[in-house]
Amino acid sequence: MNAEAATDQTARTEKPEKAGHGTAGEKGIWRIDADRLWDRLMTLARIGATPGGGVDRQALSAEEIASWHTMIDWALSAGLEPSTDAVGNLFIALPGIDRNAPPVLAGSHLDSQPGGGRFDGVYGVAAALEVLTTMAARGVRPPVDIVCVAWMNEEGSRFAPGMMGSEAFAGVRSLEDVRAVRDAKGVSVADALDALHAAFPALRRRPLGFALAAYVEAHIEQGPILEAQDHVIGVVTGIQGKKTFDIVIEGERGHAGTLAMADRRDALAAFSRIAVALYAQVGGHDDIVKFTIGRLQVEPNAPSVVPERATLRIDLRHPDNAVLERLGQRLVTLCETLAAPCHVSVTPLVDAPSNVFDPALQQAIAQAAERIGEPHMPILSAAGHDARHMAPLCPSAMIFIPCRDGVSHAEHEWAEPTHVAAGANVLLRVLLPYAGEGAQP
Ligand SMILES: [Zn+2]
């Protein structure tokens, strides 16, 4: 954000949102307590804190259990009701009048990358808790439960791939599949999940995949656009589509000094041909596509042995589903054409098309930003989020706030306190229509 906009923000809320504190702010607009939200974010950042100022809070770890204890303490002190489910999602409910009707959900995730920051994921959870705490303090009794959620293992860094909690909830992946996954030390999700549940024996279990009325996720942008455009609120239009592929190129090992070049079936040579073509013809398709070879393993990876096998993982993203589909097919064709004399197998892993978030909720976010005087803009999410899996289930949306220099998944990830408060105030206003009579100041 530039200096001019920063001054504007700071002038309004030097110590962020002093008018908040669960009472009516200026013009009678309900505000969250910005100091409390910030303090809680910094408290959560101490759980799994790294020396460089970041966070390492892996899914189902002792640190995540500690963060649950903290969240549940805050929830109980506000009169909110914590619960969980079979896949280790954490729910905190502001009880509604009809406890059996589909609730409204808002949240994100508490786990982080190994060298993660203090805002990715945890911001959306803390903001949702703050909104519920503000409503509870005002005596709101909504028609249906309004629920803060922390999805299990969004990041996928300890147990891969991520988004286990939201995928199991949405029925995209079975609980059995999720429980069978092991981390690098051989610990299974099943064992880690059972340990998590054992740490909270009193917690009520909700069924997996209960019906939802709506889902709203607040998150830092993890990109540079809002900051560059001097906008505080991103009205997320959708999440760009993503495909991942495991590719195995099989050749034949040989002596680096004796085997003639013409007689080699060198897996790394085949990889080189394929990679050059993929960067040019898939990664170079347009200036929107994102193409990454993020992992490459060579076997036997010995200095004087012709490589017999190359295994790579490709991450391919594009907001246009038709283009993504075409590029995916081109990728397979190029691999198969260029692998000879080696053999190649391409296994599709993730296949998540772009989604469009609910237009009415997008409008509600824009109107909420206007009501509290924050500049807003539509923005496409370049990164994946749990909201992807809620969108097919119920009207869903995301609220973005800027992060400094677009940096995320890094220890120096940073969001301004005023932006943190603004996003939570927008979330509050978006959820107010679900809070019943007397909640429409
Ligand atoms: Zn995240």
Side-chain angles (χ1 to χ4, degrees), residues 108-109 120-121 154-155 219 222 385:
S108 193
H109 58 95
D120 176 6
E154 193 273 350
E155 297 289 358
H219 207 283
Q222 303 183 284
H385 298 285

Side-chain angles (χ1 to χ4, degrees), residues 56-375:
D56 181 2
R57 195 167 46 237
Q58 296 301 306
L60 305 177
S61 64
E63 289 76 24
E64 192 171 57
I65 288 174
S67 71
W68 275 41
H69 279 296
T70 302
M71 288 287 297
I72 289 169
D73 284 348
W74 289 332
L76 295 176
S77 71
L80 305 171
E81 285 183 8
S83 57
T84 184
D85 64 9
V87 77
N89 296 315
L90 172 64
F91 302 101
I92 293 171
L94 173 65
I97 293 163
D98 183 353
R99 303 304 310 272
N100 296 316
V104 176
L105 245 62
S108 193
H109 58 95
L110 290 170
D111 68 312
S112 79
Q113 291 286 326
R118 287 178 268 178
F119 303 91
D120 176 6
V122 63
Y123 170 58
V125 179
L129 179 67
E130 178 55 36
V131 166
L132 298 191
T133 306
T134 300
M135 288 181 176
R138 288 175 166 276
V140 166
R141 185 88 201 275
V144 303
D145 285 12
I146 305 181
V147 181
C148 162
V149 59
W151 300 110
M152 191 274 275
N153 187 27
E154 193 273 350
E155 297 289 358
S157 56
R158 178 183 178 193
F159 298 108
M163 299 205 197
M164 281 181 172
S166 55
E167 288 193 347
F169 184 92
V172 174
R173 239 158 122 192
S174 75
L175 182 60
E176 290 66 36
D177 277 3
V178 166
R179 287 178 64 90
V181 174
R182 289 179 185 275
D183 68 9
K185 290 178 183 153
V187 179
S188 68
V189 169
D191 287 345
L193 198 48
D194 293 347
L196 172 89
H197 283 136
F200 301 93
L203 225 49
R204 185 168 73 89
R205 293 273 183 103
R206 287 177 181 260
L208 262 186
F210 52 84
L212 300 176
Y215 177 73
V216 186
E217 179 165 351
H219 207 283
I220 57 168
E221 182 201 334
Q222 303 183 284
I225 296 170
L226 288 175
E227 187 179 59
Q229 310 267 331
D230 283 337
H231 283 71
V232 174
I233 298 297
V235 183
V236 184
T237 55
I239 297 175
Q240 76 172 334
K242 172 179 174 179
K243 286 178 183 286
T244 65
F245 301 88
D246 245 350
I247 298 176
V248 181
I249 303 167
E250 303 267 8
E252 195 172 4
R253 76 166 69 187
H255 192 295
T258 59
L259 191 57
M261 294 304 285
D263 295 336
R264 294 185 183 194
R265 293 173 59 224
D266 182 334
L268 197 57
F271 163 79
S272 305
R273 288 190 298 275
I274 289 170
V276 167
L278 289 179
Y279 281 119
Q281 297 181 45
V282 176
H285 177 268
D286 56 41
D287 54 5
I288 305 170
V289 66
K290 303 284 189 303
F291 167 83
T292 308
I293 303 175
R295 177 185 290 166
L296 172 64
Q297 284 164 324
V298 182
E299 293 166 66
N301 205 22
S304 297
V305 181
V306 175
E308 69 175 335
R309 186 178 299 110
T311 306
L312 53 145
R313 176 73 64 87
I314 289 177
D315 182 312
L316 174 65
R317 307 189 197 205
H318 200 286
D320 184 327
N321 284 327
V323 175
L324 182 63
E325 215 40 56
R326 261 205 316 281
L327 292 179
Q329 284 160 10
R330 185 178 296 175
L331 181 149
V332 174
T333 307
L334 286 170
C335 287
E336 287 170 349
T337 320
L338 296 170
C342 296
H343 175 263
V344 68
S345 64
V346 181
T347 308
L349 300 172
V350 173
D351 184 7
S354 296
N355 70 285
V356 176
F357 284 127
D358 183 67
L361 279 175
Q362 286 189 50
Q363 196 182 9
I365 292 167
Q367 284 169 350
E370 266 156 42
R371 183 83 168 91
I372 64 168
E374 297 292 359

Side-chain angles (χ1 to χ4, degrees), residues 10-71:
T10 314
R12 183 145 22 97
T13 52
E14 180 61 54
K15 247 310 208 176
E17 301 282 340
K18 263 299 180 198
H21 294 280
T23 60
E26 74 271 27
K27 299 178 202 159
I29 296 178
W30 286 18
R31 299 265 182 179
I32 55 93
D33 184 332
D35 288 344
R36 179 173 59 202
L37 172 55
W38 184 261
D39 289 347
R40 286 181 169 180
L41 272 174
M42 294 307 110
T43 299
L44 289 166
R46 285 196 285 276
I47 305 173
T50 56
V55 171
D56 181 2
R57 195 167 46 237
Q58 296 301 306
L60 305 177
S61 64
E63 289 76 24
E64 192 171 57
I65 288 174
S67 71
W68 275 41
H69 279 296
T70 302
M71 288 287 297

